[in-house]
Amino acid sequence: MPSPWPETPPTSAHRSAYADAARKSFWLDTLPERDLHAPLDGAADADLCIVGGGYTGLWAALYAKSLDSGRDVVLLEATRCGAGASGRNGGFLQSSLTHGLGNGLSRFPDELDQLERLGLENFHALAADLERLGIDAEFEPTGDLIVALESRELADLEEEAELMRRFGHDAELLDRERIRAEVNSPMYLGGLWTRTGSALVHAGKLADGLRSAAVRAGVRVCEYSSVRELRKTAAGVSVGTDGGVVDARRVLLATSAYPPLLRAIGRYIAPVYDYVLVTEPLDARMREAIGWTARQGVSDLGNQFHYYRLTADWRVVWGGYDAVYRYGGPVGPQLDEHEPTFAKLSQHFFATFPQLEGLRFSHRWGGAIDTCSRFSVFFGTALGGRVAYALGYTGLGVGASRFGGRVGLDLLDGRESEATALTMVRRRPVPFPPEPLRTGVIQLTRNRLAAADRNDGRRGIWLRTLDRLGLGFDS
Ligand SMILES: Cc1cc2nc3c(=O)[nH]c(=O)nc-3n(C[C@H](O)[C@H](O)[C@H](O)COP(=O)(O)OP(=O)(O)OC[C@H]3O[C@@H](n4cnc5c(N)ncnc54)[C@H](O)[C@@H]3O)c2cc1C
């Protein structure tokens, strides 16, 4: 069976559907205006300096203050808090800490029970934190749908359902009629609705709500304060920006896919770009034509997959499929656009929902994913234990970043917990090779994954070798 996606190139109609779209994240574009936090200016002291104002850094800051409200915490953010992946993602909040059960089972089989339990605890604690902190992130406990577009994928869905149930999830298989009754696409052949450990959020409101909560808790936030260097000092670490220096006792790095401040991190992380389109709000006729009244997050099943969901005002957020790695792993605003990917996303959107023909896209953007070879957050310490880092969520960090920020801080403070004893926490991923080999390996892997999608899912020798080595590439 060939791929279910059109073989023909995208048309001018596909391209013109997003031609006028705003070139910014819908989530960031729909936040209320606020004053920026002043950049770091001159010298400052701190007990703890956190570098990076995304979910990981903000959750860590809140946790530090909850443990000791007197602890002096400074957070340095290169641009605006939440402007990285945390303000650009799909807003799928999942309990898994291991990028899904299948990946968890292949990499951490002995501790997957524990990881699943900790993931669900983290998921519920996150929801409770939103209540407690008064953060309206448009949390919707909708569960999620995985949809099969090819008949061979129906068996994959059954296997996934069995696995989900084995780990205590409420997962229901839907046949062709029932999945189309949930969300009406002529491409769907079957689906799996998982109702536990899965919700949707407004990505930007989550980041901004965490920022406000951190400020209320007494964290000093500096924006437009890009950290240039870390230097070990007699008592701690000196953290230098263009405008000043923080002398901190301890430093937590939450810098995701951005250029790493420690050489060790660069070996493990490949920044991979993922792109997103958002439509105009659906009108009453379109809503009728599409169903989707339970508003679940949806993803399809290929190696190259789409993820999509509704916003509060009934737009469709539609992203994924391509994962773009560029030589040397650059990250920056000049890469937020990728015309070939937008064209393909638009074409695939209208193939999935032909009844929405004529609908236009209001927003388009891209974001960098901190991809590592095991697809899940990893940790480490440096400079004699004065610096710790937590990153590598590989595109599934909306929920896991709360766990990552907290565990990163536990490691930094030398606090032992159930999580800090895990192999998953103590062991780092297999590093990627250096350039130019890195680009070659990643492009070959992407190429073979696409070929497997066109070839009934059959994994050739290259992918099977990577599987055996426990290596992978994903976004
Ligand atoms: C397009 C896209 C879709 C995604 N969809 C989903 C999804 O639906 N569900 C899901 O679970 N996950 C998703 N993810 C992944 C998720 O967004 C991330 O895992 C999560 O946001 C990671 O948070 P973070 O704080 O670690 O990183 P980020 O939010 O990227 O924060 C890192 C911050 O560090 C700052 N920084 C970097 N270097 C420095 C420096 N030297 N000095 C100061 N500051 C610095 C950056 O400016 C940035 O603000 C998606 C990601 C992308 C890009």
Side-chain angles (χ1 to χ4, degrees), residues 285-300:
R285 181 193 61 78
M286 290 172 166
R287 281 169 61 175
E288 173 112 6
I290 205 170
W292 214 345
T293 51
R295 297 176 52 86
Q296 308 94 329
V298 185
S299 56
D300 48 47

Side-chain angles (χ1 to χ4, degrees), residues 50-58 76-94 203 225-228 241 254-261 272-276 307 309 320 365-370 390-401:
I50 295 175
V51 184
Y55 301 145
T56 302
L58 292 164
L76 302 177
E77 162 53 46
T79 61
R80 296 173 66 111
C81 288
S86 298
R88 297 163 185 250
N89 60 70
F92 285 60
L93 170 58
Q94 309 258 313
S225 304
S226 187
V227 173
R228 306 289 181 202
T241 70
T255 53
S256 186
Y258 292 83
L261 290 161
V272 170
Y273 266 79
D274 195 44
Y275 293 89
V276 185
Y307 54 87
R309 51 145 316 166
W365 72 89
I369 283 178
D370 50 351
L391 66 178
Y393 304 96
T394 318
L396 204 73
V398 173
S401 53

Side-chain angles (χ1 to χ4, degrees), residues 130-300:
L130 297 185
E131 283 282 323
R132 187 175 52 81
L133 298 168
I135 297 175
D136 176 8
E138 297 178 6
F139 177 88
E140 289 185 81
T142 55
D144 67 86
L145 296 172
I146 309 177
V147 294
L149 310 180
E150 298 181 69
S151 45
R152 69 174 165 85
E153 291 174 347
L154 294 171
D156 298 342
L157 281 187
E158 278 181 29
E159 219 173 278
E160 180 71 12
E162 197 271 317
L163 194 57
M164 296 298 287
R165 290 187 198 122
R166 175 141 60 98
F167 284 88
H169 286 279
D170 171 358
E172 187 188 7
L173 280 169
L174 306 178
D175 65 15
R176 180 185 150 120
E177 271 56 58
R178 290 197 55 215
I179 185 69
R180 291 184 189 193
E182 288 300 327
V183 183
N184 186 13
S185 167
M187 290 184 78
Y188 296 171
L189 303 182
L192 176 65
W193 187 353
T194 303
R195 297 192 183 81
T196 37
S198 176
L200 296 174
V201 291
H202 182 303
K205 288 189 179 175
L206 174 57
D208 203 54
L210 292 174
R211 178 197 58 78
S212 306
V215 170
R216 284 198 305 276
V219 175
R220 288 186 284 153
V221 175
C222 304
E223 296 186 305
Y224 289 92
S225 304
S226 187
V227 173
R228 306 289 181 202
E229 64 163 2
L230 303 174
R231 249 180 336 99
K232 193 169 166 189
T233 59
V237 181
S238 132
V239 184
T241 70
D242 291 338
V245 176
V246 177
D247 272 312
R249 248 176 24 78
R250 293 284 179 270
V251 176
L252 183 75
L253 301 178
T255 53
S256 186
Y258 292 83
L261 290 161
L262 296 172
R263 201 185 319 198
I265 294 176
R267 303 169 61 214
Y268 300 114
I269 291 287
V272 170
Y273 266 79
D274 195 44
Y275 293 89
V276 185
L277 292 172
V278 170
T279 70
E280 299 283 2
L282 305 182
D283 63 24
R285 181 193 61 78
M286 290 172 166
R287 281 169 61 175
E288 173 112 6
I290 205 170
W292 214 345
T293 51
R295 297 176 52 86
Q296 308 94 329
V298 185
S299 56
D300 48 47

Side-chain angles (χ1 to χ4, degrees), residues 23 67 92 119 148 217 240 300 378 462:
R23 295 165 187 225
L67 292 171
F92 285 60
D300 48 47
F378 65 89
W462 174 253

Side-chain angles (χ1 to χ4, degrees), residues 373-389:
S373 66
R374 73 176 203 196
F375 311 161
S376 49
V377 59
F378 65 89
F379 304 88
T381 56
L383 303 191
R386 293 159 189 204
V387 177
Y389 50 88

